[in-house]
Structures are given as C-alpha cells and as structure tokens.
Amino acid sequence: MQAAVFLVLLLAALTAFVLALTKKISYLTAVAPENRFDQPLRRLGHFVRTVLFQSKMAKEWYGIIHIFIFWGFIFIVLAEIPFIIEGLFPAVQVPFLGTNPYFYLVKDILSLLVVLGLLIGIARRWIVRPKRLYRSPEAAIIVALILAVIITDWLTGGAKCALTGSIGEAAPAYRLAFCYQGFADIFYQNNGPETLAALMNVMWWIHVLIILGFLVYIPNSKHMHLLAAPFNGYFASLLPLGRQTAELDPLADAYKDAKKEYGVGRIENFTWKQLLDCFACGECGRCMANCPANLAGKNLNPKHFLSHTLKDHLLAKGEQMRRFGLQTTEGLSAEELDKLAGTDLEAAVLKERLVGDVFRREDLWACTTCASCQSICPVSNEHVQKIIDMRRFEVMNEDDYAPELRLAFRNVESKFNPWGVSWSERAAWAKDVGAPIRKERGEAAPEYLLWAGCAGSFDNRAKKTSIAVAKILRAAGIDFAILGREEKCCGDFARRAGNEYLFRLLAAENVKILNGYGVKKIITACPHCLQTLQNEYPAFGGNFEVTHHTRFILELIRSGRLSLRGEGGPARRAVYHDSCYLGRYQGEYEAPRALLAQIPNLTLAEMERCRDKSFCCGAGGARMWMEESVGMRLSNLRVEQALAQSPEIICANCPYCITMLEDGVKDKDGANVPVFDPAELIAELL
Amino acid sequence: MRIVVCVKQVPDTTEVKIDPVKNTLIRDGVPSIVNPFDECAVEAALRLREQYGGHVTVLTMGPPQAETALRKCLAMGADEAILISDRAFAGADTLATSYTLARAITKIGAVDIILCGKMAIDGDTAQVGPGIAEHLGLPQTTYVQKIREVYDDHIVVERACEGGYEIIRTELPALLAVDKAIGEPRYPSVKGSVRALAMPVRTWTAADVGAETEKTGLNGSPTQVMQIFTPEVALQSEMLTAASDDALCDLLLEKLIAAKAV
C-alpha cells in the first residue's frame, strides 16, 4: 500500500520535474546554435577541475562550504536509493550502498559538514549580509529544504537504530553512522518498539515528501543551477579569453539581406550556451563583488544581468515564442509583432528589444571588458562575450552609440589611431632614440619587430615608455625595427566596442603588412596590442610570437644580454598594478614583478586586489574613449587602493592604465605619486 | 527632387608633403579621402532627400580607384554613383574638369540641384563648381552655409561672406557650392558600408558623356603649373619673462613699439 502511494507520488513528481525541465531546455534549443561539442577530452578536463574539484570555489575560504555541500549532496542523493527501498521493503538490503558501513560513515561526515556549511551560509547571507548575496525567498527555501532533508534522514535512521536495540546486529550497515546513533540516543531513548516503528515511518514519509518536493522545485527555481552548472562546466569556452566565441563576419553574404541583424539585439540571437549560463548561475555574486563598474557605483551588475535580467526575459519571451510557434522575431517588423501580440500583455514581451527594454543601455557601456567576472565565476559563465554581442548590435546594426566613440572610430578610419593625430607622425617618437623603420631596412629583415601601438606612438606619456623600450633594446644589441607609418591601430577597442567591421579591416591590413615583411617575433609595450596580435590575429592569418616588453626585458637581463648599473636611485616603495589584458587575458603576472625585482632599492608592495583579482583602471573595452558620467571614476578608486599601500611610485604595464592612474592621482588632493612603466625604471639603469 | 553631388577624391592633404626636386606632391602611401567639403555636399543632399524626398546621385571624375570615394558616399546613403573615367581626361585642369562634369550632368538629365563642396583641399581653386554652372548655363551660389527653403522652382539659401551672410534666392535648377557649416557629414553605418559594397558603380567614358576630345584632359587645359613649393613662413618667437605682471606688460609694449607693431 505504502509502496503504491509512494510510486504514484514519485511518478507525479518526476512528471512535473521532466515537464518543467524540458520546457526550459526547449527555450534553449530554440535559440542560436553553437558548436560546443568539440575536444571532448579537454572539456572533460575542465569539467573535472571546475565541477568535481570545484577549483574556483577554493579561492575564497567560504567557498569551502560549497565544496562540502556539493559532495555532501551527491552522497545524500546516493543514500536516497537504499533509504527509499529499505523504507518501502524493510527486508531488502541494497547491495554496495545499503550494506556498506563506510558509505554511511562518509555520508554522515559529509551531512554534518553540509549542515555546518549551511549554518555558515545562513550567517553570511542573513547576518553578515554582504552586498553580493541576495536574501531572496528562493535562497531561504533551498536552505530550509536541504536542512530538512538531512535532519529527517537522521531522524529516520536514528529511529531505525533505536528500533533494532542492539546496534550492530539488526543494522550492521549503520555501525559507523555516528549521526544516526547520536539521534537514536538523543531522541528515541524512552520509546517502545511500536512507537519507534511509527515514528520511523512518519519521519520516512516526511523525508520522502521533502525529497519529491525538492525534485519539483529544482527546475522551477534558481536551483536549476544544480542541473545546469555541471553542463556549463563541460561546455565552457576553450578559446583564449577575448577570442570571439561566436565569429561574426560583417561582410558575410548573410548580411546583404537587410533584415539580418549584426550582433545580438534579441534574446533568441544569443546561443544556447550563452543562455545556459543564466541557468548555471548560482547567484553567488563573485562576479558582482569583483566587477569594477559595480564597485564604482554604476548600475551594471554582472550577476543580476545573468541570473535575473536575461533569464527572466528568456523565460517570458521563450514561452510566448513557443505559444505563437515563432522560431525567431528577427525580420518581423514592429507592425507585424503588434498584430501578433494584439492586446495580450504577456505577448508584448515579443516586441522587447534586449538593449533599451530589457537591459539598460548605460549598463551595456559601463563594462570595461576586464573579465574579472568570468575569470572568477565558479560555473564558467561567459559574461563579456554577451556584452560585446549586444554592443555589436547597437553599433553595427542600430548605429546608436556615444558620439565620442563615433569620433574615435572615425579617427581610426582616417588616421589609423583613435587620437586622430596625423598618421604620418606615427614614427616621430622614434627619431631621437634611433629606432629603425622596417621599410627603410629593405631586404635585411630584423629579428624582432617592435610594435609601438597607437598609445606608444602618439600619446605623450606612452611615448616615454616606447622610447625607454627602444633604448633598452638598443643597449642589449637587439636587431629590431618598427613599422612606423605602416602600422595601424590593432583594433582592440573597436572590437570591444562592437565595431567588428572596423576591427576586421584593421586586422586584415595589419596582418597583410606584417606577413608581407615576414614578421615572426613581435615585442610590444601595450597589452591590448599584445592580446589582439597574439590571440586574435591568428583568425585572420597572422601567426606571430608576441611578447610583452616586460617579459622580453626580463629575459634579456636573465640571459645576461642586458646589464644594469648595480646601484639604483633612492630606496623606493612601489606598488604594482596588473592590467586586465596582460593579467587575466594573457595570464602574465610574474614577469613584470620579476622585472621590478631587478631594480635595486625598490621594494614591491601588493594591493589587496591584485593578480587575477586586479581592479580595472577603467580604460578597457573602449571606455578609454568614452565619457564616464555614472558613478565614481574607476581610476580614482584604483588609485585609492594603490595609495592605501603608501607607495612612493606606482608601476603599471599598460599605456592606458598609466594614463588612467595618473589622472586618478591628479584627482586626489595632496597625492603626488608618479606612475611608471617598469621599462622606464630599467632604462634609467642603463 | 533629383540631386547630383560632384565629389573629388583627394589625397589626405594634412599628410601630404611636396617633393622639393620634382615639384610634385608625394603621394606614396598617402591615403585618399573624399574631399571634406564634398562630404558636406553629400550630407546636404541626403538631408534634402530626407526632407523632400528624391534621388541622390554622386558623380566623380577620376582614375578607376576613385570608385572608393564613390563607395564612401554610397555608404553615407547616396542612391547611385557614377564614375567618369577615361585616359583622355588625364592632366585636366579646372576648366576641362568642369566641362567634363557638365557633360555628364547633361547626360544624367533632369537635375534640380547640383551640389559640390566649395573647393577641394588639394588644389584649393574653388573653380570647378562655378565652372560646371557656367558650362550648363545655370545659376550658381557659392559658399552656401545653409539651405533655408526649397520650392518647386526656386530655393533660398544663406551664402557666407565676410562678417556675415547673404540670403539668396535662386531659380532651380541651380548649382550650390557648400561650406562646412552646412552640416557635419554623417559617419557611414556598418550596414550602410556593407550595402554600399554590393551596389553598382557605373563608369562612363569620354564617349559616353559625349565630351569633345579637344576640350578634355591636357588638350582642354589652358592652365600650366610653373612651380609648386611650400612657402617659407619666417616666424620668430620669443618668450618674455619678468618679475611682475606690470613689468611684463611694459616689456611687451617696448618690444611691440620697437617692432613698429603699435
């Protein structure tokens, strides 16, 4: 009888579970395709690291509680098998699990750790109240459910222990299950066997009902995280950060159709993987707590963007598209959609544009593409690509973006640099330092090409770094040249701003020039150029070995090709700022530090936010060329963080960071801390 | 309304230097652009079309690579582009050029407004626009800074002049040579640029436009270039310093009087 009731309930719960789940999956299969099924071994490796070993979780101490809960949950689910079968058919013993005392020992230890973890979690969420955690009803429900599952399990098992009286005989599998035994001692001391049997049965049913409720609740709540996150770990992008996952060629034939849209202007144009991110999100808020824009008081919130903004819109629009049998709303005019939706309020979502209606335009442009959100994300979500995809729509499709950005694009188109300085002056910085120009070298190909970049060629501050690098290269006897007038903007900012068209024109022209000279090895002082030349030009036929100048100079010193004067200047305390594009994008944290360590009398202090958690200066993602009108200036915040270490100098490895940090220092009353590129300090020691 | 805009592809003169030996512009590696004043003319044409409807044709005379300039105008939003290109046009001065362009406009047919920039930034002559009007026998207004009103048979424009502007009413069809004040040229959208790549650019030869050979190219050009040179500007500068502002003023006055500037 009990078994029949259970079976009916189980079937009902499973049906509800499958229905809710398939509905969500159907929304994902209806959106843009993307191949994430390649390289299964590498994917498996990423899955094992980030899902099974929870590698991102261990980076913060409270991440440990998630590891407890993750593994505890797996064992608890496994333990449900003998629990349910033995509850229904007391005579049956499930092999391997139900008879194995060590399984119950591990399960009890993990259950205890889960409870401990949950208590810490409750304390953090509802007492400490960090901004990044939402105190939502959903969060409370899941915590209560997990606690209830564990406690009713212990109460049921405890009753069973007590019922058998002499432990070790009737329930040999429980002989190491100290929690079951503890519960037997505490709660069931003075009960007769019949009461115990009844209590055990009641507890068993409560437990089972909670489990079934849980099953139904998961796909209908943010706890889809449980189901989606492991898949997100497997399907995570294997490309280097910044390489575009969804390649878009603005000149492709498809775009000759005037109705075909560039970028993503409607949710169904995101790929299934991009939207799986929304379900995988566990709302831990790490991204938010590390988002420089968010910390500076701008409205951009990478967590809310995925976990609520996009997800809610997908659920609402996905449902309406299903209802009207639409594959896409692309190509349908406003009138056609009006006619379709009629006066139905729910169907009105079909008309919503992603940017403007769903997602604030100012938030879209607040992102610096620093990638701290996605490099810290435990479930391998990819925030930045979505931002760029939406910017592409705004820039290439709608032609609707900030006028100052338009000016920068125009400058690059006509002068090949965003400053708009005459392109013929590109090599002017190199005259005094005697850096040879590639074209004038003729057939005698130099071993290295020094890629100066726009900042290094035109910005007065960055030119000093270029000159320092050239001096060092000459001092070390390196055979190098610069492209001079033949060099063009690498296109980094255009690409991050969504102007893929302009980026591709620049990439093609630069690759043509570089390949024409047979360039193989490139040195650059700009991490943005480094990123595009190294990681993004291969897609355009440019395969170069690109080295950041800090690494190159370090190797010169280590190999003995460059010797520095032994005695440096006065004792100085320096603080080092990791740029996003050398740090998170290229993974280079050590070389600049090691290079600074070569400077006598210089002591290096670290900011609280350093290395992979470094805080963006505010110039990335084309923000360099835009006004910063909302919230605080990122550069001012970063300078405050630097000054907290009371440095005498600040060191940075990127021309844009240096500009921003210098501006931040100027904005700070009474602060007079100079900002240097490591190469400038090294050049003083030649 | 049928509008023809005459544009010229020019070397980006902010970058151009003169070869002191050959007396010619060093064009090696210098990017070609649409003459900025002509871009303004295209902008003016597009605004007229937006307001009154119509059809905008861009026209240029030049070598085959001048097609790039036409594509830029198509990207901005022009409806049609015509390139007049022929070996016979080589060496044309402003007279021969305006004659050829006038022939092409005659071939295009019923035109209401001909727009061009007030001058080209490479030659700086400002003669081709007026030349076209003369060849066609049409009224012309130069240095137009604003188009005020447009009617079926006449137009009211503002013509910039020293210290102000004139309001001029002229019959249509007419030729307007525009100043930059007419409006900042739009930045072509990516969609516009892609669309422009797929659009045809028609090429007409001397025979197509019915130009007489003795009036085109070198044959039709009475202008002779004797020498091109960069004028030497002898500027001397001096930084004055003094203990006080008053002393500085006195010093400056002294210098100015000595230089007979005051």
Side-chain angles (χ1 to χ4, degrees):
Chain A
M1 177 59 200
Q2 289 214 6
V5 174
F6 174 76
L7 206 63
V8 170
L9 288 174
L10 179 69
L11 280 176
L14 275 178
T15 312
F17 173 81
V18 169
L19 282 180
L21 193 62
T22 47
K23 200 169 191 180
K24 289 195 171 166
I25 294 173
S26 78
Y27 299 153
L28 292 181
T29 50
V31 300
E34 182 180 358
N35 182 14
R36 291 282 182 115
F37 300 92
D38 56 333
Q39 308 186 56
L41 282 180
R42 273 187 73 198
R43 295 196 171 280
L44 204 61
H46 190 266
F47 172 84
V48 170
R49 265 195 316 282
T50 61
V51 181
L52 299 187
F53 286 97
Q54 303 265 297
S55 57
K56 301 275 176 100
M57 279 296 174
K59 292 194 171 179
E60 289 166 326
W61 71 266
Y62 39 78
I64 307 290
I65 66 183
H66 188 274
I67 302 178
F68 294 164
I69 294 172
F70 174 80
W71 278 106
F73 208 85
I74 288 175
F75 268 79
I76 291 165
V77 169
L78 274 179
E80 289 305 323
I81 300 166
F83 182 92
I84 289 170
I85 293 174
E86 287 167 20
L88 289 172
F89 313 103
V92 178
Q93 290 257 300
V94 176
F96 302 117
L97 297 177
T99 54
N100 188 341
Y102 295 102
F103 173 72
Y104 284 104
L105 174 66
V106 173
K107 192 211 68 159
D108 259 2
I109 294 172
L110 283 170
S111 296
L112 206 60
L113 288 173
V114 170
V115 172
L116 183 73
L118 286 174
L119 292 177
I120 299 172
I122 289 168
R124 256 174 61 74
R125 192 179 292 256
W126 282 281
I127 299 170
V128 180
R129 297 187 163 222
K131 199 181 153 204
R132 69 181 228 197
L133 291 175
Y134 293 162
R135 284 164 296 283
S136 61
E138 283 193 323
I141 290 171
I142 201 75
V143 168
L145 278 177
I146 300 174
L147 277 177
V149 164
I150 293 174
I151 289 168
T152 52
D153 171 51
W154 282 341
L155 283 170
T156 316
K160 197 170 176 180
C161 281
L163 187 64
T164 50
S166 52
I167 289 147
E169 288 173 21
Y174 290 176
R175 76 187 144 85
L176 298 175
F178 58 95
C179 289
Y180 281 175
Q181 292 173 29
F183 268 71
D185 290 346
I186 296 164
F187 293 101
Y188 303 115
Q189 279 282 353
N190 304 314
N191 294 308
E194 275 154 38
T195 331
L196 279 175
L199 279 173
M200 186 175 90
N201 196 247
V202 170
M203 288 306 155
W204 187 88
W205 271 107
I206 295 176
H207 180 90
V208 161
L209 288 175
I210 293 170
I211 289 283
L212 295 180
F214 208 151
L215 193 65
V216 179
Y217 188 61
I218 288 173
N220 286 301
S221 68
K222 75 162 182 165
H223 302 292
M224 261 296 277
H225 160 73
L226 262 65
L227 302 171
F231 287 98
N232 226 41
Y234 181 81
F235 292 120
S237 171
L238 300 176
L239 295 172
L241 195 57
R243 178 84 64 84
Q244 304 299 296
T245 49
E247 279 295 347
L248 179 153
D249 179 4
L251 297 180
D253 285 343
Y255 296 104
K256 288 186 184 138
D257 175 1
K259 282 185 175 175
K260 175 90 180 122
E261 291 171 354
Y262 288 115
V264 175
R266 50 191 83 239
I267 190 128
E268 64 267 30
N269 285 359
F270 276 127
T271 72
W272 63 269
K273 169 59 184 66
Q274 287 184 301
L275 294 173
L276 182 64
D277 285 2
C278 304
F279 295 118
C281 177
E283 302 189 21
C284 71
R286 280 171 175 74
C287 52
M288 177 183 167
N290 282 282
C291 173
N294 188 276
L295 291 167
K298 299 170 206 299
N299 289 317
L300 176 64
N301 180 337
K303 161 179 154 177
H304 202 86
F305 166 54
L306 289 183
S307 68
H308 290 76
T309 313
L310 272 191
K311 187 167 85 179
D312 292 350
H313 182 60
L314 172 67
L315 295 180
K317 194 173 180 185
E319 183 55 33
Q320 294 306 316
M321 282 172 59
R322 240 164 65 115
R323 182 177 147 199
F324 290 98
L326 292 173
Q327 279 299 308
T328 176
T329 56
E330 186 176 334
L332 292 177
S333 66
E335 293 77 37
E336 284 171 305
L337 285 172
D338 265 337
K339 214 171 133 194
L340 203 65
T343 53
D344 189 318
L345 283 179
E346 285 183 344
V349 71
L350 290 173
K351 292 184 282 184
E352 284 183 8
R353 290 167 39 127
L354 215 42
V355 178
D357 294 334
V358 179
F359 188 57
R360 268 186 303 252
R361 185 169 277 112
E362 70 173 58
D363 297 358
L364 177 67
W365 293 103
C367 176
T368 67
T369 68
C370 79
S372 67
C373 50
Q374 69 184 59
S375 71
I376 203 163
C377 180
V379 296
S380 311
N381 277 346
E382 294 149 31
H383 310 64
V384 180
Q385 184 68 50
K386 294 186 189 63
I387 296 277
I388 293 177
D389 282 341
M390 290 191 290
R391 286 181 176 181
R392 285 169 167 180
F393 180 76
E394 292 297 294
V395 170
M396 297 203 291
N397 209 72
E398 302 299 285
D399 205 27
D400 185 4
Y401 53 99
E404 60 272 20
L405 194 55
R406 196 172 294 257
L407 180 67
F409 288 156
R410 192 174 261 216
N411 285 338
V412 168
E413 278 186 16
S414 54
K415 316 280 183 193
F416 315 122
N417 71 84
W419 275 270
V421 184
S422 167
W423 62 273
S424 60
E425 296 302 307
R426 199 163 183 117
W429 67 271
K431 252 180 226 151
D432 294 339
V433 71
I437 295 180
R438 178 63 190 90
K439 195 176 183 184
E440 293 164 7
R441 287 278 302 253
E443 291 299 305
E447 189 179 0
Y448 293 96
L449 185 95
L450 176 61
W451 181 275
C454 297
S457 303
F458 296 108
D459 179 70
N460 283 333
R461 178 65 191 84
K463 276 193 241 173
K464 291 181 187 166
T465 306
S466 300
I467 290 168
V469 173
K471 270 186 189 162
I472 293 167
L473 295 181
R474 284 181 68 102
I478 298 297
D479 182 24
F480 76 102
I482 60 170
L483 280 182
R485 293 162 63 149
E486 290 181 289
E487 183 185 286
K488 289 179 174 144
C489 171
C490 69
D492 162 74
F493 92 93
R495 180 168 245 200
R496 315 294 160 211
N499 197 341
E500 187 70 7
Y501 175 71
L502 181 54
F503 169 76
R504 285 191 173 231
L505 295 182
L506 295 166
E509 288 175 29
N510 281 326
V511 166
K512 195 174 157 199
I513 290 282
L514 290 167
N515 283 347
Y517 283 128
V519 172
K520 291 279 173 286
K521 297 176 185 174
I522 299 175
I523 306 160
T524 184
C526 176
H528 294 267
C529 298
L530 173 65
Q531 162 69 17
T532 39
L533 266 65
Q534 174 78 61
N535 282 1
E536 301 178 24
Y537 279 12
F540 304 91
N543 293 292
F544 317 110
E545 184 190 318
V546 195
T547 317
H548 190 246
H549 69 298
T550 52
R551 170 176 279 273
F552 192 80
I553 296 168
L554 181 70
E555 278 163 14
L556 288 181
I557 296 172
R558 285 189 172 159
S559 65
R561 291 188 73 174
L562 186 72
S563 48
L564 305 177
R565 276 190 288 119
E567 77 288 1
R572 282 178 294 186
R573 183 177 161 84
V575 66
Y576 173 71
H577 162 81
D578 288 282
S579 69
C580 307
Y581 277 76
L582 186 64
R584 277 182 292 267
Y585 277 78
Q586 292 283 333
E588 179 65 273
Y589 303 107
E590 298 310 327
R593 286 181 170 79
L595 186 60
L596 288 170
Q598 298 286 336
I599 298 166
N601 303 332
L602 187 106
T603 46
L604 195 60
E606 292 289 352
M607 284 183 256
E608 200 186 317
R609 292 181 186 273
C610 63
R611 294 174 187 266
D612 58 345
K613 281 184 153 187
S614 182
F615 188 93
C616 177
C617 70
R623 294 279 343 156
M624 175 75 189
W625 309 106
M626 300 175 74
E627 296 295 337
E628 196 172 353
S629 47
V630 186
M632 270 181 288
R633 285 175 185 275
L634 265 56
S635 51
N636 291 8
L637 274 179
R638 187 53 168 168
V639 163
E640 269 174 30
Q641 295 166 14
L643 296 182
Q645 305 300 325
S646 35
E648 282 144 318
I649 56 171
I650 300 173
C651 291
N653 57 53
C654 165
Y656 297 99
C657 293
I658 292 176
T659 301
M660 297 304 274
L661 294 172
E662 282 194 340
D663 284 355
V665 172
K666 279 179 209 150
D667 258 15
K668 183 98 184 154
D669 285 337
N672 189 22
V673 181
V675 186
F676 289 114
D677 186 282
E680 294 179 286
L681 303 176
I682 294 288
E684 285 172 9
L685 301 172
L686 293 176
Chain B
M1 181 174 291
R2 180 123 197 155
I3 306 166
V4 171
V5 190
C6 300
V7 301
K8 182 179 186 185
Q9 188 179 47
V10 294
D12 192 348
T13 51
T14 54
E15 317 286 347
V16 171
K17 293 190 173 60
I18 293 168
D19 186 326
V21 182
K22 288 190 239 163
N23 268 340
T24 51
L25 297 175
I26 304 173
R27 292 185 185 232
D28 179 32
V30 177
S32 293
I33 57 170
V34 179
N35 177 36
F37 295 106
D38 298 349
E39 273 191 348
C40 295
V42 174
E43 177 65 32
L46 295 174
R47 288 185 191 182
L48 282 174
R49 188 188 65 189
E50 277 156 17
Q51 203 171 349
Y52 304 101
H55 185 90
V56 175
T57 305
V58 279
L59 179 67
T60 194
M61 185 188 99
Q65 57 267 33
E67 188 185 319
T68 324
L70 292 175
R71 295 239 176 255
K72 172 88 188 289
C73 301
L74 288 173
M76 286 173 76
D79 301 291
E80 186 188 10
I82 300 167
L83 168 69
I84 342 173
S85 191
D86 199 309
R87 283 183 178 277
F89 300 148
D93 69 357
T94 54
L95 184 70
T97 304
S98 56
Y99 165 76
T100 312
L101 286 168
R103 294 304 308 158
I105 293 167
T106 312
K107 183 179 160 97
I108 291 169
V111 173
D112 297 300
I113 299 177
I114 302 160
L115 284 161
C116 51
K118 70 171 180 185
M119 62 191 202
I121 58 165
D122 55 348
D124 278 358
T125 64
Q127 291 170 353
V128 172
I132 295 170
E134 289 305 314
H135 282 296
L136 291 172
L138 293 180
Q140 57 171 290
T141 307
T142 51
Y143 306 106
V144 174
Q145 62 174 24
K146 191 176 180 183
I147 296 171
R148 284 198 163 190
E149 295 154 42
V150 179
Y151 301 94
D152 284 345
D153 60 343
H154 70 278
I155 190 167
V156 181
V157 301
E158 288 178 14
R159 178 180 187 270
C161 56
E162 215 163 314
Y165 60 84
E166 303 164 336
I167 299 171
I168 291 179
R169 180 192 146 128
T170 177
E171 273 177 24
L172 289 180
L175 180 135
L176 309 176
V178 305
D179 189 17
K180 275 194 177 173
I182 199 109
E184 176 77 5
R186 64 197 60 191
Y187 177 75
S189 70
V190 170
K191 281 217 149 173
S193 302
V194 174
R195 195 189 68 128
L197 285 175
M199 286 171 79
V201 169
R202 267 191 284 168
T203 307
W204 287 349
T205 59
D208 289 333
V209 298
E212 298 165 39
T213 33
E214 63 273 19
K215 288 188 181 174
T216 58
L218 214 50
N219 295 337
S221 299
T223 316
Q224 282 186 21
V225 180
M226 303 299 291
Q227 193 191 358
I228 301 178
F229 60 94
T230 314
E232 289 292 325
V233 184
L235 266 180
Q236 283 187 330
S237 57
E238 191 181 345
M239 189 64 111
L240 301 180
T241 47
S244 71
D245 287 353
D246 281 348
L248 195 62
C249 282
D250 291 344
L251 192 62
L252 178 63
L253 213 54
E254 241 171 65
K255 294 265 177 192
L256 290 173
I257 290 165
K260 296 199 170 73
V262 287

